[in-house]
Amino acid sequence: MAKRVKVAEMVEQFHLEVLAGEQGLKRPITVDDLHRPGLEMAGYFEYHPKERVQLLGKTELAFFETLTPEEKRDRMYHFCSEEMPCIIVTRGLDVPEEIIAVCQEEDVPLLRTQLATTILSSRITSFLEKKLAPTTTIHGVLVDVYGVGMLITGGSGIGKSETALELVKRGHRLVADDAVEIRQTSDNQLHASAPELIRHLLEIRGIGIINVMTLFGAGAIRNNKRISVVIRLENWQQDKQYDRLGLDEETTRIIETDVPLVTVPVRPGRNLAVIIEVAAMNFRLKRMGYNAALQFTNKLTETIAEDMEDFD
């Protein structure tokens, strides 16, 4: 089911003044796009996006005042609909009586703010993007390692939290332990944080729950981070062939976004924290255009070709 935000929530968030249509404050907002109805004020309704929040600024109202009273009412009756969430007048401008009357009659919430149109548009868009973004919760640990968001996943008891603790001791920052709340933005980026109840907390078997910020300071935590790489920990399987060069780049899908996946086999003697640090640095190098595995393969191919030429 698609997410929705009630108009009343936006009114409370931005302290908007309700001028008319109080009965429609329960109307849902289903998209994060906004609309400035200049063409609609001129009488063109062919492609009017009724499902968007409508913003009336200085330009729209100035043109509206050039219309006759009959034209004003006719435009507003065409403009208002059941699908429309609300109309917001910006800059604290005076609202023509025809707009107030039709909004009250059609139960379309008519709101007003003192903010400029561009400022309000930016703030509402950001608010709606967060509220309407697809979300999910994943069992794992999210750590900021050298600026790279590393989501560590794996079976229960495999050592995710202990690895995160070692990373924190090495100067990296914890974002979330056990439950990672993930939000997908409109540009298909994944931003994650910890649930409020367990924020800054880390569970270590044998010790219990520790507060990372209290023990290691404010520099050891961060509240949210974009996920760049997924590290999947799994018990070492003797008969499984693991990638030794790093040429086979795997991905995993979270919500609707593909994220690079690194599978790390776990067995005694392997320093997982160091491996994850190296994975983060390697990811950054690849993003800057350097791929060590590819460079090695190219050099190997060149060497073999040269040897073959000498043999001939």
Side-chain angles (χ1 to χ4, degrees):
M1 181 178 178
K3 286 193 166 188
R4 300 183 172 199
V5 177
K6 290 183 180 179
V7 173
E9 294 180 53
M10 192 172 64
V11 170
E12 182 179 356
Q13 176 71 22
F14 296 100
H15 308 290
L16 302 175
E17 178 186 0
V18 181
L19 301 178
E22 295 87 348
Q23 298 299 319
L25 289 177
K26 293 183 179 179
R27 290 192 178 202
I29 304 171
T30 58
V31 296
D32 54 23
D33 294 317
L34 309 181
H35 182 61
R36 296 190 64 173
L39 288 174
E40 288 76 12
M41 293 295 101
Y44 185 76
F45 291 91
E46 187 68 26
Y47 299 103
H48 178 215
K50 300 177 182 179
E51 72 283 358
R52 301 183 186 179
V53 172
Q54 311 290 315
L55 299 182
L56 294 180
K58 196 173 184 180
T59 304
E60 290 80 14
L61 290 181
F63 176 80
F64 191 79
E65 289 291 7
T66 65
L67 304 175
T68 65
E70 292 76 17
E71 287 175 327
K72 289 179 180 179
R73 293 185 66 85
D74 180 68
R75 297 284 159 82
M76 287 308 300
Y77 278 121
H78 278 85
F79 183 57
C80 294
S81 66
E82 292 184 2
E83 296 90 350
M84 184 179 296
C86 63
I87 301 170
I88 305 177
V89 176
T90 60
R91 296 181 179 273
L93 296 169
D94 292 331
V95 183
E97 293 181 3
E98 292 82 1
I99 295 180
I100 295 175
V102 174
C103 286
Q104 187 66 34
E105 187 177 333
E106 300 294 325
D107 289 331
V108 175
L110 178 62
L111 315 171
R112 182 164 61 185
T113 178
Q114 298 298 321
L115 294 174
T117 310
T118 52
I119 295 174
L120 181 71
S121 175
S122 175
R123 294 182 182 179
I124 288 182
T125 299
S126 178
F127 170 75
L128 292 178
E129 280 182 349
K130 291 179 181 178
K131 288 285 188 178
L132 298 175
T135 58
T136 188
T137 300
I138 287 181
H139 176 66
V141 180
L142 181 59
V143 186
D144 179 353
V145 182
Y146 296 127
V148 180
M150 311 290 282
L151 176 61
I152 307 171
T153 64
S156 180
I158 200 166
K160 299 184 296 295
S161 297
E162 290 79 0
T163 303
L165 178 60
E166 178 63 24
L167 288 168
V168 168
K169 287 187 65 180
R170 297 173 69 92
H172 306 292
R173 295 188 284 180
L174 175 74
V175 182
D177 177 48
D178 192 45
V180 182
E181 293 184 342
I182 303 172
R183 172 174 54 87
Q184 179 181 271
T185 60
S186 56
D187 55 355
N188 287 336
Q189 292 187 359
L190 299 173
H191 292 264
S193 59
E196 183 67 33
L197 183 63
I198 59 174
R199 190 164 295 169
H200 308 158
L201 302 181
L202 195 60
E203 180 192 357
I204 305 297
R205 283 177 172 80
I207 295 177
I209 295 174
I210 63 172
N211 190 309
V212 172
M213 186 172 70
T214 304
L215 284 177
F216 299 98
I221 56 96
R222 78 176 284 171
N223 290 332
N224 56 75
K225 180 65 183 175
R226 176 189 169 191
I227 297 175
S228 297
V229 181
V230 175
I231 302 291
R232 182 172 63 201
L233 304 182
E234 65 175 39
N235 289 315
W236 188 291
Q237 300 175 39
Q238 197 66 36
D239 56 345
K240 182 174 179 179
Q241 292 294 324
Y242 293 101
D243 185 14
R244 299 181 65 178
L245 292 179
L247 289 174
D248 300 329
E249 295 187 355
E250 292 184 88
T251 60
T252 184
R253 173 152 288 208
I254 300 176
I255 307 178
E256 296 177 354
T257 300
D258 292 325
V259 187
L261 171 67
V262 178
T263 300
V264 178
V266 178
R267 69 175 180 180
R270 301 203 86 199
N271 192 324
L272 298 180
V274 172
I275 292 172
I276 291 174
E277 281 184 331
V278 172
M281 291 187 285
N282 195 44
F283 173 78
R284 293 183 63 179
L285 278 176
K286 286 182 178 179
R287 228 168 24 176
M288 291 187 285
Y290 178 80
N291 189 322
L294 193 58
Q295 292 278 348
F296 170 75
T297 304
N298 291 338
K299 285 183 179 180
L300 182 61
T301 303
E302 290 173 6
T303 302
I304 293 173
E306 289 172 2
D307 290 344
M308 292 296 292
E309 289 176 3
D310 292 342
F311 181 76
D312 290 340

